[in-house]
């Protein structure tokens, strides 16, 4: 809010028209008076002088307009204001919302109803006094405005006859040759020419008689108000001819088309053309359009605020009440609740999730709209949801859990869950050689010749399958209820989880089965016997035997459509096989010294682990990058490519050092390192998905869970 300028005021002999006689002696002193002259917040320039001329003209026009016309102009200006002006007016008009102001204004203008406007503060006061049973005194009812029309209706002047207040005799002056009553020298009401006064009456009865004879219409149509800020008229205004006017803006212009229009289409609330007389300087409708044009098209925010500051000083309490009421309607109008829900959701969908959470803090209505399940479903469709989606999802919770999950992966935040068996072999520290899991269960195979089923949510062992004659080195899901296991005894067994029994047993290889992979009904197993066998597991039928490696095969994987098989062998090579023909399509020499212990294929790229190195190759055999931060042999690798063209993705590797490392395919250094085994034991098998990392240790299964607690 701008402060009053301390302006020098000159004492001079003024003519009736406000001009100063040339040659008169002038004495000057400094006083605190409002200064109408404005420079737009800057030092005087050509532009500021023009702004000053415009303010002077507006000062004269305001004097000529009545209450209704002023309110129409104020409404037109407010509809063209931006946040800067609203912020200024919110602060300036606060005192005019107080009930003391309403009471004082009511006494000064009894023809206007100054009803206190309901605000959050008044409602809270009423609630507190009712709560403490203190509401035992009379309270004026507040008005609760919803629409602009209600504000304009409240601010209409009620035409009723009223007699001016008659003060004590020594304060009233009745001029013999004039038709006005004054307090000292200040006129308060213009009266018609009085009739002859009967003789032999007291002064008091004479005054009362004259007032009763006053015309009702003239009492009502007196001056709009005294000048709240009495500004000297500048010479450049006095010198202008009375017939001269500012440039006329045609009714087809943007300013004139909408300047004086009301909120509803077709409304006729406009400035009315008043009949020209000797005291009128400018045409009223043209002047109002000119003010709107200056305000809208020519003035900056600084000049607008300065103009509003000075305009408020020129207005009377009736217009102050109109501005404060109009601003309250603007301030508390909930535009979202006035629109259909479909349109509201489309508007809110433009906002990002953080902005939606801010909107939910505005009110109960906004909270309900910002938590709309359909709206958050749209937000979830726009991103890659990695968390588990329940049957009847609350989509905001799904989105929140997904954000927390991504943040936890980025910062390496997780909770550790350990699973231990209750049987004797676990207590004898028999190592876990293979782990697989889905959303509900986790399956482990170990050197104690058992296959265990775990509840992944509670960490409890649900069932233990026994039947192998050697350690279980590899596992795979066939269906949610059928588990495939490959053992050191050379057999493949199918276990029924639901019925808790063995369904099938296949004598598959002449040596230990080290790894296997499934795609659809096709299962590929690799063994110490240097072969890879392709099975139709639905019929337990051998389709092909892939021969070509001259040493044991330790790792196997398949591509996304199941047409290619990738094997890693102790002969230091990785071979790519065609499943349909059984022929080798490509041989990649990965290592020059040691066996290839792990392979993983995804979207045309192959990650292989040998010795303490992880390498990334294209399907064509071209080496992309090597990663060599492991201190001991790498035994498990899993690859996930996000963008094959940019070669962006992640690799998770583990080995005998007990470390789990996450690599970005674009960076030579690991981005996260987790010590899965504090004792430094070997991690024989590792699997991960979007939610967790699961590794098999010497005597337990350890889960690193990255999702939000209780998100399942």
């Amino acid at each position: 809010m701008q402060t009053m300028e301390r302006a020098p005021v000159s004492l001079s002999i003024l003519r009736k028209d406000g001009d100063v006689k040339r040659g008169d002696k002038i004495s000057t002193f400094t006083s605190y008076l409002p200064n109408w002259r404005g420079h737009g917040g800057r030092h005087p320039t050509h532009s500021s002088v023009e702004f000053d001329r415009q303010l002077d003209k507006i000062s004269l026009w305001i004097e000529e307009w009545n209450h209704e016309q002023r309110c129409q102009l104020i409404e037109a200006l407010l509809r063209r204001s931006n946040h800067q002006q609203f912020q200024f007016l919110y602060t300036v008009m606060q005192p005019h919302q107080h009930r003391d102001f309403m009471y004082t204004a009511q006494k000064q203008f009894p023809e206007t109803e100054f009803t206190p406007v309901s605000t959050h503060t008044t409602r809270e006061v009423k609630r507190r006094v009712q709560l403490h049973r203190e509401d035992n005194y009379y309270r004026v009812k507040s008005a609760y405005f919803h629409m602009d029309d209600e504000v304009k209706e409240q601010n209409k002047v009620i035409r009723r006859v009223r007699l001016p207040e008659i003060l004590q005799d020594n304060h009233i002056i009745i001029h013999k040759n004039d038709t006005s009553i004054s307090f000292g020298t200040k006129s308060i009401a213009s009266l018609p020419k009085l009739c002859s006064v009967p003789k032999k009456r007291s002064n008091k009865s004479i005054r009362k008689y004259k007032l009763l004879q006053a015309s009702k219409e003239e009492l009502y149509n007196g001056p709009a108000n005294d000048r709240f800020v009495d500004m000297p008229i500048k010479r450049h205004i006095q010198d202008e001819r009375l017939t001269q006017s500012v440039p006329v803006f045609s009714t087809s212009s943007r300013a004139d088309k909408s300047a004086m229009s009301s909120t509803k289409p077709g409304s006729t609330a406009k400035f009315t053309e008043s009949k020209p007389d000797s005291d009128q300087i400018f045409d009223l409708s043209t002047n109002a359009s000119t003010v709107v044009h200056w305000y809208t098209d020519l003035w900056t925010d600084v000049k607008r605020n300065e103009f509003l500051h000075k305009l408020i000083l020129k207005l009377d309490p009736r217009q102050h009440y109109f501005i404060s009421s109009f601003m309250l309607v603007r301030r508390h109008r909930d535009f979202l609740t006035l629109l259909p829900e479909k349109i509201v959701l489309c508007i809110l969908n433009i906002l990002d999730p953080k902005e939606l959470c801010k909107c939910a803090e505005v009110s109960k209505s906004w909270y309900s709209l910002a938590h709309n399940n359909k709206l958050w479903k749209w937000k979830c469709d726009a991103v890659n949801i990695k968390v588990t989606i329940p049957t009847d999802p609350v989509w905001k919770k799904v989105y929140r859990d997904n954000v927390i999950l991504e943040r936890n992966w980025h910062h390496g935040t997780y909770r550790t869950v350990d699973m231990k068996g209750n049987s004797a072999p676990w207590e004898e520290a028999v190592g876990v050689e293979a782990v697989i899991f889905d959303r509900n269960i986790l399956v482990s195979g170990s050197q104690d010749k058992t296959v265990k089923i775990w509840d992944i949510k509670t960490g409890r062992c649900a069932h233990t399958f026994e039947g192998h004659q050697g350690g279980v080195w590899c596992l795979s899901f066939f269906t949610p209820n059928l588990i495939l296991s490959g053992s050191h005894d050379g057999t493949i067994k199918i276990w029924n989880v639901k019925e808790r029994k063995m369904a099938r047993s296949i004598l598959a290889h002449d040596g230990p089965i080290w790894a296997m992979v499934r795609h659809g009904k096709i299962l590929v197993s690799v063994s110490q016997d240097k072969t890879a066998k392709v099975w139709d597991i639905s019929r337990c039928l051998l389709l092909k035997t892939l021969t070509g490696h001259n040493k044991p095969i330790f790792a196997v994987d398949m591509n996304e459509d199941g047409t290619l098989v990738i094997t890693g062998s102790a002969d230091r090579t990785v071979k790519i096989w065609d499943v349909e023909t059984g022929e080798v399509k490509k041989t990649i020499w990965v290592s020059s010294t040691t066996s290839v212990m792990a392979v993983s294929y995804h979207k045309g790229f192959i990650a292989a682990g040998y010795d303490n190195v992880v390498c990334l190759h294209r399907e064509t055999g071209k080496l992309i990058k090597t990663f060599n931060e492991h201190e001991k042999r790498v035994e498990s690798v899993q690859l996930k490519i996000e963008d094959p063209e940019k070669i962006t993705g992640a690799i998770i590797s583990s080995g005998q050092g007990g470390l789990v490392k996450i690599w970005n395919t674009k960076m030579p250094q690991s981005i996260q390192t987790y010590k899965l085994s504090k004792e430094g034991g070997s991690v024989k098998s590792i699997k991960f998905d979007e939610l967790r990392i699961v590794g098999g240790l010497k005597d337990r299964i350890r889960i690193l869970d990255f999702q939000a607690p209780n998100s399942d």
Side-chain angles (χ1 to χ4, degrees):
M1 177 178 174
Q2 293 181 333
T3 58
M4 296 293 187
E5 298 180 10
R6 187 177 183 183
V9 178
S10 298
L11 292 180
S12 58
I13 303 174
L14 300 179
R15 297 178 182 174
K16 291 184 179 180
D17 58 359
D19 197 1
V20 181
K21 294 182 179 180
R22 296 188 180 183
D24 291 336
K25 186 176 180 180
I26 300 175
S27 61
T28 306
F29 70 96
T30 303
S31 174
Y32 290 99
L33 284 178
N35 188 3
W36 180 259
R37 187 177 182 84
H39 300 299
R42 300 177 180 85
H43 294 293
T45 61
H46 177 72
S47 174
S48 66
V49 171
E50 180 61 27
F51 178 60
D52 182 50
R53 292 171 60 90
Q54 294 167 353
L55 291 183
D56 289 334
K57 293 177 181 178
I58 297 173
S59 176
L60 295 178
W61 298 341
I62 293 174
E63 299 289 338
E64 303 168 4
W65 296 336
N66 59 29
H67 170 64
E68 288 79 5
Q69 293 167 333
R70 292 183 181 188
C71 290
Q72 291 170 17
L73 175 64
I74 293 169
E75 179 185 355
L77 296 178
L78 291 180
R79 294 189 184 282
R80 288 158 178 79
S81 300
N82 58 26
H83 175 71
Q84 297 291 337
Q85 288 82 62
F86 278 100
Q87 189 177 28
F88 168 75
L89 289 174
Y90 281 145
T91 305
V92 173
M93 302 310 297
Q94 285 298 321
H96 302 285
Q97 299 171 15
H98 198 274
R99 291 173 182 253
D100 290 344
F101 165 80
M102 307 285 181
Y103 179 76
T104 306
Q106 184 73 54
K107 292 184 65 178
Q108 187 174 1
F109 297 97
E111 72 277 4
T112 303
E113 294 184 3
F114 292 87
T115 305
V117 181
S118 175
T119 63
H120 174 74
T121 304
T122 60
R123 291 191 292 270
E124 282 296 311
V125 170
K126 182 178 180 181
R127 185 187 65 81
R128 285 197 298 268
V129 297
Q130 290 178 346
L131 180 65
H132 298 288
R133 299 180 179 179
E134 297 177 359
D135 196 15
N136 54 359
Y137 52 88
Y138 177 74
R139 293 179 58 86
V140 179
K141 291 186 178 180
S142 301
Y144 191 57
F145 298 140
H146 292 276
M147 307 296 291
D148 296 342
D149 290 342
E150 297 175 358
V151 176
K152 290 187 286 187
E153 185 69 24
Q154 180 68 24
N155 280 271
K156 285 184 177 180
V157 177
I158 302 175
R159 289 181 173 268
R160 59 189 179 190
V161 179
R162 64 184 179 91
L163 296 177
E165 183 179 357
I166 302 176
L167 302 181
Q168 296 179 3
D169 295 347
N170 55 351
H171 292 288
I172 300 179
I173 301 174
I174 301 181
H175 302 279
K176 296 181 179 179
N177 299 323
D178 198 359
T179 59
S180 64
I181 300 177
S182 301
F183 297 103
T185 59
K186 186 175 181 182
S187 175
I188 63 168
S190 180
L191 300 177
K193 194 170 183 179
L194 300 178
C195 59
S196 59
V197 182
K199 296 181 181 181
K200 297 182 182 180
R201 287 193 179 185
S202 64
N203 293 334
K204 186 174 182 179
S205 62
I206 293 174
R207 285 193 296 271
K208 186 181 297 186
Y209 176 77
K210 291 181 178 180
L211 291 175
L212 290 175
Q213 295 299 321
S215 170
K216 297 180 182 180
E217 196 65 27
E218 298 222 4
L219 279 175
Y220 176 76
N221 291 327
N225 64 290
D226 297 328
R227 299 182 65 175
F228 276 58
V229 182
D230 196 5
M231 302 300 173
I233 302 176
K234 302 295 187 300
R235 177 169 293 278
H236 65 261
I237 294 293
Q238 299 175 29
D239 293 341
E240 293 180 357
R241 292 186 177 180
L242 297 181
T243 57
Q244 182 182 358
S245 64
V246 295
V248 177
F249 298 93
S250 62
T251 55
S252 60
S253 65
R254 176 169 61 89
D256 194 43
K257 278 185 178 180
S258 58
M260 299 302 112
S261 61
S262 62
T263 54
K264 293 185 178 181
S267 177
T268 58
K270 296 185 179 180
F271 278 96
T272 56
E273 292 280 342
S274 58
K275 296 181 180 181
D277 52 36
S278 58
D279 296 329
Q280 190 172 10
I281 299 179
F282 300 117
D283 179 76
L284 189 57
S285 61
T286 303
N287 297 340
S289 301
T290 303
V291 174
V292 174
H293 167 68
W294 289 341
Y295 186 86
T296 306
D297 301 328
L298 301 183
W299 292 346
T300 62
D301 287 337
V302 175
K303 291 183 178 180
R304 288 183 181 184
N305 285 359
E306 185 171 350
F307 162 71
L308 291 175
H309 178 213
K310 299 179 185 303
L311 176 64
I312 291 173
L313 300 177
K314 299 286 289 185
L315 302 177
D316 63 42
R318 296 176 297 175
Q319 291 93 56
H320 292 167
Y321 178 75
F322 175 79
I323 295 176
S324 60
S325 303
F326 196 88
M327 297 294 293
L328 283 175
V329 172
R330 282 291 179 274
R331 188 173 187 177
H332 297 289
R333 171 173 292 179
D334 192 350
F335 70 96
L336 283 183
T337 57
L338 299 177
L339 297 173
E341 182 177 325
K342 184 176 181 180
I343 298 177
V344 173
L345 295 181
C346 291
I347 294 174
L348 294 179
N349 191 37
I350 300 174
L351 306 179
D352 59 42
K354 289 185 179 180
E355 294 170 337
L356 279 179
C357 293
K358 289 292 184 182
C359 289
E361 299 175 1
V362 174
S363 64
K364 292 182 180 179
S365 300
W366 284 42
Y367 180 88
S368 177
L369 293 171
H371 283 75
N372 187 278
N373 210 34
K374 184 178 180 181
L375 175 63
W376 285 99
K377 175 66 167 61
W378 294 344
K379 294 297 180 184
C380 291
D381 293 340
V383 298
N384 182 19
I385 298 297
K386 300 176 181 179
V387 298
T388 306
I389 300 177
T391 306
D392 189 14
V394 178
W395 289 106
K396 183 181 179 181
K397 184 176 183 297
V398 173
Y399 190 96
R400 183 202 63 188
D401 292 344
N402 193 69
V403 171
I404 294 175
L405 178 68
E406 292 181 354
R407 184 180 61 196
N408 290 344
W409 274 103
H410 180 73
H411 295 289
T413 304
Y414 58 87
R415 62 187 180 98
T416 303
V417 179
D418 285 339
M419 298 180 178
K420 285 188 176 183
N422 296 323
S423 59
W426 285 78
E427 296 175 359
E428 296 171 2
V430 177
V432 178
E433 299 292 344
V435 291
I436 57 173
F437 64 92
D438 61 10
R439 299 290 185 178
N440 299 313
I441 65 171
L442 183 148
V443 185
S444 66
S446 60
Q447 294 181 17
D448 65 355
K449 308 174 187 179
T450 63
V451 175
K452 291 183 179 291
I453 309 298
W454 306 81
D455 188 328
I456 200 169
K457 295 181 180 179
T458 63
R460 297 179 180 178
C461 181
H463 189 68
T464 300
F465 291 109
E466 297 179 355
H468 280 294
Q469 301 302 313
V472 179
W473 289 84
C474 52
L475 296 165
S476 179
F477 282 106
F478 182 35
T479 68
N481 290 320
L482 294 177
I483 306 296
L484 307 175
S485 62
S487 172
H488 193 275
D489 60 11
T491 63
I492 297 174
K493 293 186 182 294
I494 305 175
W495 309 91
N496 191 314
V497 177
K498 188 175 183 180
E499 298 180 2
R500 298 189 174 184
K501 66 179 183 179
M502 183 178 64
R504 293 286 188 277
S505 181
I506 304 171
L507 183 60
H509 289 272
D510 295 332
I513 300 174
W514 300 119
M516 63 184 181
V517 63
R518 183 191 64 84
H519 184 277
K521 63 181 181 178
I522 301 299
L523 177 74
V524 181
S525 59
V526 296
S527 171
Q528 183 76 19
D529 62 7
K530 309 175 188 178
T531 64
K533 293 188 177 182
V534 182
W535 305 84
D536 183 349
I537 197 63
S538 62
R539 296 182 293 167
C540 299
L541 177 65
L542 177 64
L543 300 179
K544 284 183 176 59
T545 300
L546 308 178
T547 58
H549 286 289
N550 52 27
K551 287 189 177 181
I553 305 173
F554 294 127
V556 65
D557 201 2
M558 297 181 73
N559 66 345
E560 290 80 4
D561 57 5
T563 59
L564 298 178
V565 174
I566 299 90
T567 57
S569 171
D571 62 7
R572 300 169 293 174
T573 65
V574 171
K575 291 184 181 292
I576 302 176
W577 309 79
D578 189 307
V579 173
E580 186 175 354
T581 62
E583 297 179 353
V584 178
K585 297 187 65 176
K586 186 70 177 180
T587 299
I588 305 173
W589 287 87
V590 174
S591 172
S592 59
T593 56
T594 60
S595 304
V596 178
M597 301 302 297
V599 293
S600 180
Y601 179 94
H602 194 225
K603 294 183 179 181
F605 293 85
I606 300 171
Y610 63 92
D611 197 13
N612 62 344
V613 180
V614 177
C615 59
L616 180 64
H617 289 261
R618 285 188 182 272
E619 185 180 338
T620 58
K622 181 181 178 181
L623 177 64
I624 304 298
K625 198 180 291 294
T626 58
F627 311 91
N628 52 7
E629 287 187 6
H630 282 282
E631 297 177 356
K632 295 183 179 181
R633 187 175 69 186
V634 177
E635 294 192 349
S636 179
V637 171
Q638 193 167 349
L639 171 67
K640 185 175 182 180
I641 296 294
E642 294 180 357
D643 190 343
E645 295 183 359
K646 298 180 180 179
I647 317 179
T648 58
I651 302 174
I652 293 185
S653 60
S654 65
Q656 292 184 350
L659 300 178
V660 176
K661 289 185 176 289
I662 302 179
W663 312 82
N664 187 325
T665 55
K666 285 291 186 180
M667 301 172 62
Q669 296 85 18
S670 61
I671 57 177
Q672 294 289 348
T673 299
Y674 307 104
K675 194 169 185 178
L676 209 63
S677 174
K678 297 180 180 180
E679 300 81 9
S682 176
V683 182
K684 295 294 185 67
S685 176
I686 188 169
K687 296 291 182 181
F688 79 96
D689 62 2
E690 293 85 357
L691 305 179
R692 53 182 70 89
I693 300 174
V694 179
L697 305 181
K698 184 178 181 179
D699 61 342
R700 72 192 66 191
I701 301 167
R702 179 156 289 174
I703 301 175
L704 307 183
D705 194 348
F706 292 86
Q707 62 185 334
N710 302 323
S711 63
D712 290 340

